[in-house]
Coordinates of all heavy atoms in Angstrom, one line a residue:
T207 N 164.4 185.1 134.5 CA 165.0 183.9 135.1 C 165.2 184.1 136.6 O 166.1 183.5 137.3 CB 166.3 183.5 134.5 OG1 167.2 184.7 134.7 CG2 166.1 183.2 133.1
H209 N 164.4 183.7 140.6 CA 163.9 182.5 141.1 C 162.4 182.5 141.3 O 161.7 181.3 141.2 CB 164.7 182.1 142.3 CG 166.0 181.4 142.0 ND1 167.1 182.2 142.1 CD2 166.4 180.2 141.7 CE1 168.2 181.4 141.6 NE2 167.8 180.3 141.5
L212 N 160.9 181.6 138.1 CA 161.0 180.0 137.8 C 159.9 179.3 138.5 O 159.3 178.5 137.8 CB 162.3 179.6 138.2 CG 163.6 180.2 137.7 CD1 164.8 179.4 138.0 CD2 163.5 180.3 136.1
N294 N 162.8 170.0 136.3 CA 163.3 170.6 137.5 C 162.2 170.8 138.4 O 161.0 171.1 138.0 CB 163.6 172.1 136.9 CG 164.8 172.2 135.9 OD1 165.5 171.2 135.6 ND2 164.9 173.3 135.3
L314 N 167.0 168.3 138.1 CA 167.3 169.3 139.2 C 166.2 169.4 140.1 O 165.1 169.9 139.8 CB 167.5 170.7 138.4 CG 167.6 171.9 139.3 CD1 168.8 171.9 140.3 CD2 167.6 173.3 138.5
R316 N 165.5 171.4 143.3 CA 166.1 172.5 144.0 C 165.7 172.4 145.5 O 164.4 172.4 145.8 CB 165.5 173.9 143.5 CG 165.9 174.3 142.0 CD 165.4 175.5 141.6 NE 166.0 176.1 140.5 CZ 165.5 176.0 139.3 NH1 164.3 175.4 139.1 NH2 166.1 176.5 138.2
E318 N 165.9 174.2 148.2 CA 165.7 175.4 148.8 C 164.3 175.5 149.3 O 163.9 175.9 150.5 CB 165.9 176.7 148.0 CG 167.3 177.0 147.6 CD 167.7 176.1 146.3 OE1 167.0 176.0 145.3 OE2 168.6 175.4 146.5
R352 N 170.2 168.9 144.1 CA 171.0 169.9 144.2 C 171.2 170.3 145.8 O 170.2 170.5 146.4 CB 170.8 171.2 143.3 CG 171.8 172.2 143.5 CD 171.3 173.4 142.5 NE 170.2 174.2 143.0 CZ 169.6 175.1 142.4 NH1 170.1 175.4 141.2 NH2 168.6 175.7 142.9
D355 N 171.2 175.9 147.7 CA 171.7 177.0 146.9 C 171.1 178.3 147.3 O 170.4 179.1 146.6 CB 171.3 176.8 145.3 CG 171.7 177.7 144.3 OD1 172.9 178.2 144.7 OD2 171.2 177.9 143.4
D359 N 169.3 185.8 145.3 CA 167.9 186.3 145.5 C 167.2 185.2 146.3 O 165.9 185.3 146.4 CB 167.2 186.4 144.3 CG 167.1 185.3 143.3 OD1 167.7 184.3 143.5 OD2 166.3 185.5 142.3
K360 N 167.8 184.1 146.9 CA 167.1 183.2 147.8 C 167.6 183.3 149.2 O 168.8 182.7 149.4 CB 167.4 181.8 147.1 CG 166.6 181.5 145.8 CD 167.0 180.3 145.3 CE 168.4 180.0 144.8 NZ 168.7 178.9 144.0
R378 N 177.4 182.4 148.9 CA 176.2 181.7 148.5 C 176.5 180.3 148.1 O 177.7 179.9 148.0 CB 175.3 182.5 147.4 CG 176.1 182.8 146.2 CD 175.3 183.1 145.0 NE 174.3 182.1 144.7 CZ 173.7 182.0 143.5 NH1 174.1 182.9 142.5 NH2 172.9 180.9 143.2
M449 N 177.4 171.9 138.9 CA 176.6 172.7 138.0 C 177.6 173.7 137.3 O 178.5 174.2 138.0 CB 175.7 173.6 138.9 CG 174.4 172.9 139.0 SD 173.1 173.9 139.6 CE 172.4 174.6 138.1
E451 N 177.7 177.1 136.1 CA 176.8 178.3 135.8 C 177.7 179.4 136.2 O 177.2 180.6 136.4 CB 175.6 178.1 136.9 CG 176.0 177.7 138.3 CD 174.8 177.6 139.1 OE1 173.6 177.9 138.8 OE2 175.0 177.0 140.2
I471 N 174.4 172.3 132.9 CA 174.7 173.7 132.7 C 173.5 174.5 133.2 O 172.4 174.4 132.7 CB 174.9 173.9 131.1 CG1 176.2 172.9 130.7 CG2 175.2 175.3 131.0 CD1 176.5 173.1 129.3
G472 N 173.7 175.4 134.1 CA 172.8 176.2 134.7 C 172.7 177.6 133.9 O 173.5 178.6 134.2
T473 N 172.0 177.6 132.8 CA 172.1 178.8 131.8 C 171.7 180.1 132.5 O 172.1 181.2 132.2 CB 171.4 178.6 130.5 OG1 170.1 178.2 131.0 CG2 172.0 177.5 129.8
N474 N 170.8 180.0 133.6 CA 170.3 181.2 134.1 C 171.5 182.0 134.8 O 171.6 183.1 134.5 CB 169.2 180.9 135.2 CG 168.2 180.0 134.7 OD1 167.8 180.0 133.5 ND2 167.5 179.2 135.5
D475 N 172.2 181.4 135.5 CA 173.4 182.0 136.2 C 174.5 182.3 135.2 O 175.2 183.2 135.3 CB 173.8 181.2 137.5 CG 172.9 181.5 138.7 OD1 172.6 182.7 138.9 OD2 172.6 180.7 139.4
L476 N 174.6 181.2 134.4 CA 175.8 181.3 133.4 C 175.6 182.6 132.6 O 176.7 183.3 132.5 CB 175.8 180.2 132.5 CG 177.1 180.1 131.6 CD1 178.5 180.2 132.4 CD2 177.1 178.8 130.7
R485 N 170.4 188.8 137.0 CA 169.2 188.1 136.5 C 167.8 188.7 136.9 O 166.8 188.4 136.3 CB 169.3 186.6 136.5 CG 169.1 186.0 138.0 CD 169.6 184.7 138.0 NE 168.5 183.7 138.1 CZ 168.8 182.5 138.4 NH1 170.0 181.9 138.6 NH2 167.8 181.7 138.4
C522 N 170.1 172.6 132.4 CA 169.0 172.6 133.3 C 168.4 174.0 133.6 O 167.5 174.4 134.3 CB 169.3 172.0 134.6 SG 170.6 172.9 135.6
G523 N 169.0 175.0 132.8 CA 168.5 176.3 133.0 C 167.3 176.5 132.1 O 166.9 175.7 131.4
E524 N 166.7 177.8 132.2 CA 165.4 178.0 131.5 C 165.6 177.9 129.9 O 164.7 177.5 129.3 CB 165.0 179.4 131.7 CG 164.3 179.5 133.1 CD 163.1 178.5 133.3 OE1 162.1 178.6 132.6 OE2 163.4 177.4 134.0
Ligands
LIG1133 C1 170.6 178.0 136.7 O1 171.5 178.8 137.2 O2 170.5 178.0 135.4 C2 170.0 177.0 137.4 C3 169.2 176.1 136.8 O3 169.8 177.2 138.8 P1 169.0 178.3 139.5 O4 168.0 178.8 138.4 O5 168.2 177.5 140.5 O6 169.9 179.2 140.0

Side-chain angles (χ1 to χ4, degrees):
T207 61
H209 281 99
L212 300 190
N294 299 343
L314 166 62
R316 293 182 166 102
E318 296 77 56
R352 181 176 72 184
D355 186 26
D359 64 349
K360 290 179 291 193
R378 56 165 301 206
M449 272 195 89
E451 50 184 352
I471 305 176
T473 51
N474 307 332
D475 275 320
L476 186 60
R485 61 197 261 189
C522 64
E524 283 307 285

